[in-house]
């Protein structure tokens, strides 16, 4: 069972614990009820893009098994569930509303309400409708306005039934994996495209915020970022480390909090900077009610030629998870305290944290020893961050169950619940049982 000091906020009922998932990673049923293709369906079909050309056609079949999944989330003692909505299920290529898509999420949300679970919805967790990519995707400013229309449709329908609306999940990944290194859909590798996509994503967030506030005045509205704090490999790498933080952390959060991009990065990449409309920065910095933070690991970097060039260094004597990411819980503490110092933060929710492991079913059980140690360590960092004054109010484990891990396909298992993909059987791993015991022990 996970344990924290007696006076820890994590032991209070007000601190919410939940699990997180995303539509394309779990739903399957990609051809059902008039869902239209997304950029991930297209990307998965490209030879070499995804491990063994896996795709989300079946995934965890959550589209049909949602009721048992919700029951299991409740049964684990969770307070909350973070899910994402598939835009390609909601808006058809001709711009009309797909009622069958809204009906599906109505069924899921009703099931969650039935169990009294707090509901956090992410409107965009990377599955852009393919018809929008055909018109330029996130390189096209129009896509931001299309996102706002989709946010209007969804939030007008569900309103305050959703407790937390997050506009985007990890725009860093959408922009930098999608358009800079090409590891994610739509698979473009070009700096100018990446910065333009990033700007249009942030604009989409800003355009959606007032709509969400209007349609769901009693809900909380915010955005989810992935942050990987940078550490210098040696003393001479300190200045490039701070540049790397500007490029990968502040480039995303500073526009939201302060209405501007970090000057260091802007100047360095001046030749590939995005087209920014006169009102854009004001729209982007409209204010958020909560900040979602996804944390998995840190990055260690060294100089690579003249300032500010840098490269990532792979330390050899550190603990790593199955996906190769270093286990480094102090990075979460440093990240939270640094952000809290740099900005006037709204309440913070850890919206993703977790570990991939090479899990095996042995005698009907999964002893995911490394994962449950990972959770204990990172939750302790959250506890320390709260003691240092960071207003963290909740924590979501990534993920509820094993699922389609993007370009890694089904090879990487992040769930606290094991999925046997042949039978679609769900089996709580030891980490899930440890959560259950802890959650039930709270007063
Ligand atoms: C995050 C994504 C999530 C999952 C985890 C492992 O970047 O938001 O969908 O893939 O990584």
């Amino acid at each position: 069972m996970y344990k924290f000091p007696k006076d820890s906020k994590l032991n209070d009922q007000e601190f919410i614990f939940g699990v997180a998932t995303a539509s394309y990673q779990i739903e399957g049923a990609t051809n059902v009820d008039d869902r239209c293709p997304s950029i991930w369906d297209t990307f998965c079909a490209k030879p070499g893009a995804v491990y063994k050309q896996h795709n989300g056609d079946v995934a965890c079949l959550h589209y049909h098994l949602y009721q048992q999944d919700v029951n299991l989330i409740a049964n684990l003692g969770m307070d909350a569930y973070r899910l994402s909505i598939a835009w390609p299920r909601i808006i058809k290529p001709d711009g009309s509303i797909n009622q069958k898509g809204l009906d599906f999420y109505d069924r899921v949300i009703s099931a969650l309400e039935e169990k009294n679970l707090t509901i956090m919805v992410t409107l965009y967790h990377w599955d852009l409708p393919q018809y929008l990519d055909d018109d330029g995707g996130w390189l096209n400013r129009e896509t931001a306005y299309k996102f706002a229309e989709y946010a209007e449709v969804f939030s007008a329908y569900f309103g305050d039934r959703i407790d937390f609306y997050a506009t985007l999940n990890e725009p860093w990944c959408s922009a930098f994996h999608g358009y800079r290194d090409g590891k994610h859909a739509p698979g473009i590798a070009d700096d100018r495209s990446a910065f333009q996509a990033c700007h249009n994503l942030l604009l989409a967030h800003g355009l959606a915020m007032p709509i969400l506030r209007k349609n769901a005045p009693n809900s909380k509205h915010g955005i989810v970022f992935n942050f990987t704090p940078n550490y210098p490999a040696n003393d001479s790498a300190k200045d490039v480390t701070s540049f790397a933080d500007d490029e990968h952390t502040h480039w995303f959060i500073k526009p939201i909090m302060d209405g501007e991009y970090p000057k260091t990065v802007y100047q360095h990449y001046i030749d590939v900077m995005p087209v920014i409309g006169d009102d854009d920065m004001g729209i982007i910095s409209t204010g958020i009610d909560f900040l979602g933070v996804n944390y998995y690991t840190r990055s260690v970097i060294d100089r690579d030629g003249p300032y500010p060039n840098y490269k990532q260094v792979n330390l050899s004597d550190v603990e790593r998870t199955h996906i190769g990411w270093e286990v480094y819980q102090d990075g979460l503490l440093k990240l939270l305290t640094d952000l809290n110092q740099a900005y006037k933060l709204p309440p913070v929710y850890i919206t993703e944290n977790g570990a991939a492991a090479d899990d095996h079913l042995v005698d009907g059980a999964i002893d995911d020893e490394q994962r449950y140690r990972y959770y204990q360590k990172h939750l302790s960092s959250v506890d320390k961050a709260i003691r240092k004054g960071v207003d963290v109010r909740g924590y979501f484990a990534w993920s509820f169950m094993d699922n389609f891990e993007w370009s890694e396909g089904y090879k990487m298992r992040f769930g606290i619940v094991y999925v046997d993909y042949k039978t679609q059987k769900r089996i709580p791993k030891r980490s899930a049982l440890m959560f259950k015991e802890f959650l039930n022990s709270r007063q």
Side-chain angles (χ1 to χ4, degrees):
M1 157 167 142
Y2 300 114
K3 272 215 169 83
F4 314 103
K6 255 210 154 68
D7 62 341
S8 170
K9 282 251 166 69
L10 301 192
N11 298 321
D12 289 356
Q13 290 281 6
E14 289 103 78
F15 188 93
I16 62 168
F17 277 91
V19 283
T21 64
S23 47
Y24 190 71
Q25 296 182 273
I26 63 164
E27 287 177 359
T30 46
N31 286 321
V32 172
D33 289 342
D34 301 332
R35 172 190 181 273
C36 57
S38 81
I39 53 173
W40 271 92
D41 298 280
T42 312
F43 192 65
C44 290
K46 259 195 219 169
V50 171
Y51 174 76
K52 288 195 177 166
Q53 221 164 317
H54 288 171
N55 61 48
D57 286 0
V58 178
C60 310
L61 219 62
H62 174 78
Y63 197 83
H64 300 298
L65 301 178
Y66 70 89
Q67 183 64 62
Q68 77 168 59
D69 288 337
V70 170
N71 292 349
L72 181 51
I73 293 167
N75 188 266
L76 292 176
M78 294 292 162
D79 310 309
Y81 178 47
R82 172 176 177 242
L83 70 151
S84 87
I85 307 303
W87 186 350
R89 292 197 192 276
I90 306 296
I91 311 288
K92 294 185 188 178
D94 66 1
S96 62
I97 299 170
N98 180 6
Q99 186 58 41
K100 290 179 197 161
L102 290 171
D103 289 346
F104 165 64
Y105 291 110
D106 205 344
R107 293 195 289 278
V108 175
I109 287 158
S110 301
L112 293 166
E113 287 169 340
E114 185 103 338
K115 296 287 183 189
N116 267 325
L117 286 154
T118 296
I119 303 169
M120 182 183 283
V121 148
T122 309
L123 290 173
Y124 184 68
H125 200 127
W126 310 352
D127 40 0
L128 185 73
Q130 180 58 44
Y131 63 81
L132 289 179
D133 198 57
D134 296 341
D135 286 340
W138 288 111
L139 300 179
N140 183 353
R141 188 179 166 88
E142 234 349 84
T143 299
Y145 293 88
K146 297 279 185 205
F147 177 75
E149 287 169 23
Y150 152 59
E152 163 68 35
V153 169
F154 187 85
S155 60
Y157 198 80
F158 290 101
D160 299 341
R161 290 175 68 191
I162 314 286
D163 303 283
F164 294 87
Y165 282 86
T167 51
L168 309 177
N169 176 67
E170 304 188 348
W172 183 96
C173 285
S174 302
F176 284 12
H177 276 335
Y179 292 86
R180 200 174 188 188
D181 62 32
K183 285 188 189 156
H184 282 181
I188 293 170
D190 170 59
D191 280 352
R192 180 189 297 280
S193 302
F195 283 108
Q196 190 63 61
C198 172
H199 183 71
N200 291 341
L201 280 152
L202 295 180
L203 181 64
H205 157 82
L207 291 169
M209 284 301 285
I211 295 169
L212 298 175
R213 290 194 196 289
K214 169 189 66 127
N215 287 337
N218 297 316
S219 312
K220 303 284 183 207
H221 307 290
I223 186 167
V224 171
F225 290 118
N226 57 310
F227 295 126
T228 303
N230 295 287
Y231 282 71
N234 51 60
D235 278 354
S236 74
K238 281 195 176 143
D239 53 353
V240 291
T241 301
S242 119
F243 182 87
D245 280 337
D246 282 352
E247 184 170 349
H248 299 285
T249 296
H250 302 292
W251 190 261
F252 292 84
I253 186 173
K254 196 171 171 63
I256 301 282
M257 304 305 299
D258 297 346
E260 59 180 18
Y261 287 112
K263 291 189 185 61
T264 46
V265 178
Y266 194 93
Q267 268 146 23
H268 181 66
Y269 289 108
I270 192 75
D271 295 338
V272 292
M273 282 297 96
V275 179
I276 301 175
D278 286 347
D279 301 330
D280 288 4
M281 300 316 287
I283 294 171
I284 291 171
S285 57
T286 154
I288 48 175
D289 306 329
F290 75 94
L291 173 70
V293 171
N294 294 355
Y295 175 85
Y296 288 92
T297 188
R298 69 162 170 175
S299 174
V300 179
I301 61 168
D302 203 353
R303 304 185 80 93
D304 188 20
Y307 175 89
N309 296 300
Y310 60 87
K311 60 179 177 212
Q312 213 165 311
V313 179
N314 274 326
L315 302 182
S316 53
D317 51 350
V318 298
E319 183 187 351
R320 292 183 187 278
T321 62
H322 192 209
I323 200 165
W325 301 345
E326 182 185 352
V327 177
Y328 195 73
Q329 66 272 16
D330 288 353
L332 179 54
L333 174 60
K334 177 176 155 53
L335 169 70
L336 292 171
T337 50
D338 284 358
L339 288 176
N340 202 38
Q341 209 163 38
Y343 303 102
K344 215 173 157 307
L345 294 183
V348 174
Y349 290 81
I350 306 303
T351 33
E352 285 179 29
N353 178 232
D358 190 11
D359 298 312
H360 294 283
L361 194 57
V362 179
D363 298 332
I366 299 100
D367 187 358
D368 54 344
E369 196 257 336
Q370 187 188 33
R371 183 177 293 107
Y372 76 67
R373 281 194 291 109
Y374 181 99
Y375 279 122
Q376 175 69 62
K377 289 177 191 167
H378 288 77
L379 284 164
S380 298
S381 287
V382 173
D383 178 48
K384 287 184 188 144
I386 295 172
R387 288 170 201 277
K388 288 188 184 249
V390 189
D391 186 10
V392 187
R393 306 235 181 133
Y395 177 97
F396 292 79
W398 182 273
S399 177
F400 164 52
M401 59 183 160
D402 298 333
N403 56 50
F404 173 74
E405 180 44 40
W406 309 112
S407 45
E408 304 285 344
Y410 295 96
K411 187 167 124 202
M412 292 302 159
R413 292 180 178 269
F414 271 93
I416 60 170
V417 170
Y418 184 86
V419 175
D420 179 339
Y421 293 110
K422 285 203 191 87
T423 60
Q424 289 295 351
K425 199 171 168 211
R426 277 72 160 137
I427 306 162
K429 302 176 191 175
R430 187 163 168 192
S431 56
L433 302 175
M434 309 261 293
F435 265 114
K436 181 173 179 168
E437 219 186 321
F438 161 69
L439 294 169
N440 288 338
S441 76
R442 291 174 303 172
Q443 299 304 313

